[in-house]
Amino acid sequence: MTRSSNDASTTQRRTMHPHRRVGAGEVPACLVVLQGQRLGQRIDLGDQPLIIGRAPEAEFQIIERSVSREHCRITREPAGYRIKDLDSTNKTFLNDQPIIEAELKDGDHISVGSCVLKFMDRSSVEARYHEELYQLATADPLTDLYNRRQFLELIDREIARAANYNRPLTLLIIDLDHFKLINDQFGHPNGDLVLKNFALALRDHSREDFIIARIGGEEFAIVLPEHGLSEAIRFADSLRRAMAELEFQLNDEKKKITVSIGAATWLPSMASTSDFMRAADEQLYRAKQAGRNRVCSTASE
C-alpha cells in the first residue's frame, strides 16, 4: 500500500480513537467523507471543537493546497452543532453555499477544498446504520481493535503525514509467546478469552492517539505517531512488563503470558508500508530467537 509522500490530495486525521461497540442511544453525531481520499471515513463529533484544515495540529487534516491551515471549526452548543469558517482563503461551503457561520442540520454537506463531508445528527437513523457498517468493515470482531485491512490503511496515512512534515513515526509488532500451548492445553474458547483480555489491556496501557490493531492470530500492532525510536522502546518495555503481570483465569488455573515486541521507526529510505512492517517484523523475530519476553529494535542491530 505504497503512497507518495508528496501526494497533495491525501487527507489525514491526527487522532484515531480506539474502537468501541455502540449500544442503543449511544451513536454520536458524526461527519462522513462523501468525496476525497478517505471516502466513507467516519469522524465522530463530541463536546470538543473539531478543527478542519491543512495544519498537522488540525483534528481532521486535509493535505491540499486549496485548504487553509485552520480552515473551519465545528463546535457543539446546547442546541446542536455549528460550523464557522476561520477566515479561510477559499471559503467553507455548506450545501454549495459559502458561509461564515451556520447551524448544522442532519444531512448537510460541508465542502472544504475537494473534500465533501456529510453531517449526521445523533438522532439520525442513517448515523446508526453507518456506524454499524463502519464497525463491521474496520473492527476485528473478536477484540474490537482495528482489523488488518483498516490498520494498513491507517498506517499508510500516518506514513504520508510523517514524510510530508518530517515527523517521527514508530511501529511496534507484538506477539504473544507460546500462545499455541494455550489453545492446545485449554481449548480455543479460552484462547479467545486471552486475546480479548489482552486487547483490553493494550488499549488501557496505550495513549488515545496510538493506532492499535490485531493483524494476525495472536499478533498485534501499535503505531506511535510523533514518537521516535528511543521513546517508543521505553513505552514498549513498559508494555511488555505490564503484560507479563496479567493473570488469565483459564478453567481452574491462573496463567501468565509474556509477549515479544519488535520496534522500527519510519525512514525516508523505506519505499512502502511493507518495508516499514518488515523492519518491525524482523525485530520481532530477533526477540523470539533471543528467548522471548523482550523488546528488540532497529537501534540494537
Side-chain angles (χ1 to χ4, degrees):
M1 297 187 60
T2 308
R3 179 172 296 164
S4 170
S5 64
N6 59 1
D7 182 355
S9 65
T10 300
T11 306
Q12 309 281 345
R13 187 182 183 192
R14 180 176 175 79
T15 303
M16 308 305 301
H17 295 285
H19 275 287
R20 81 278 184 274
R21 291 291 177 191
V22 180
E26 293 181 34
V27 176
C30 66
L31 302 174
V32 175
V33 181
L34 297 184
Q35 180 177 312
Q37 284 290 319
R38 290 166 62 189
L39 184 65
Q41 178 71 54
R42 176 191 178 95
I43 306 100
D44 288 341
L45 299 174
D47 294 331
Q48 298 301 313
L50 181 132
I51 301 290
I52 299 173
R54 197 178 73 249
E57 296 79 16
E59 283 78 19
F60 189 82
Q61 184 188 20
I62 306 173
I63 304 177
E64 192 174 301
R65 292 185 183 90
S66 62
V67 175
S68 299
R69 287 182 59 81
E70 291 192 351
H71 200 99
C72 60
R73 179 176 62 235
I74 296 175
T75 54
R76 184 177 182 182
E77 298 184 353
Y81 286 90
R82 293 186 68 82
I83 184 168
K84 181 177 182 180
D85 184 80
L86 300 177
D87 296 322
S88 65
T89 302
N90 293 307
K91 302 186 186 242
T92 300
F93 291 81
L94 185 65
N95 301 322
D96 296 324
Q97 297 297 317
I99 56 103
I100 297 174
E101 187 171 1
E103 180 184 354
L104 286 172
K105 297 178 181 177
D106 186 46
D108 279 348
H109 287 192
I110 302 164
S111 299
V112 177
S114 66
C115 183
V116 179
L117 303 158
K118 182 175 182 178
F119 173 74
M120 294 185 189
D121 198 359
R122 64 180 62 243
S123 60
S124 168
V125 173
E126 188 179 3
R128 180 176 296 282
Y129 176 67
H130 188 277
E131 171 72 13
E132 293 300 324
L133 288 181
Y134 183 69
Q135 291 285 354
L136 288 171
T138 60
D140 171 60
L142 178 65
T143 64
D144 213 21
L145 300 177
Y146 288 121
N147 59 25
R148 184 180 180 90
R149 178 181 177 182
Q150 182 69 3
F151 167 77
L152 290 172
E153 184 176 336
L154 294 175
I155 191 174
D156 202 33
R157 292 175 191 153
E158 287 299 329
I159 288 171
R161 191 180 71 84
N164 273 306
Y165 292 96
N166 194 28
R167 304 302 301 166
L169 180 68
T170 301
L171 169 65
L172 306 179
I173 296 184
I174 305 154
D175 191 84
L176 277 67
D177 295 329
H178 301 298
F179 183 73
K180 184 177 182 299
L181 297 178
I182 295 294
N183 280 333
D184 291 345
Q185 183 177 353
F186 298 100
H188 286 276
N190 275 311
D192 287 351
L193 183 63
V194 168
L195 293 173
K196 286 181 182 179
N197 288 330
F198 179 77
L200 286 172
L202 277 185
R203 275 197 295 215
D204 288 344
H205 197 79
S206 300
R207 280 176 29 175
E208 196 173 67
D209 58 333
F210 292 176
I211 298 169
I212 313 170
R214 182 188 180 201
I215 59 174
E218 67 268 23
E219 194 169 74
F220 297 79
I222 303 180
V223 181
L224 288 73
E226 304 291 339
H227 281 60
L229 189 59
S230 59
E231 187 180 7
I233 291 170
R234 287 194 296 272
F235 166 78
D237 199 55
S238 71
L239 175 66
R240 178 193 63 79
R241 287 184 272 108
M243 296 303 105
E245 292 301 313
L246 287 178
E247 281 193 341
F248 299 93
Q249 186 73 38
L250 305 179
N251 298 335
D252 296 325
E253 188 175 341
K254 289 185 178 180
K255 293 285 290 183
K256 289 187 176 182
I257 300 175
T258 61
V259 298
S260 298
I261 303 176
T265 193
W266 169 256
L267 299 173
S269 59
M270 293 176 176
S272 66
T273 301
S274 296
D275 288 348
F276 193 17
M277 293 188 67
R278 188 178 302 113
D281 204 49
E282 287 171 356
Q283 298 308 313
L284 173 63
Y285 179 77
R286 288 183 61 225
K288 292 285 190 182
Q289 292 296 105
R292 297 179 171 82
N293 190 22
R294 65 194 63 222
V295 178
C296 285
S297 69
T298 49
S300 59
E301 288 183 325

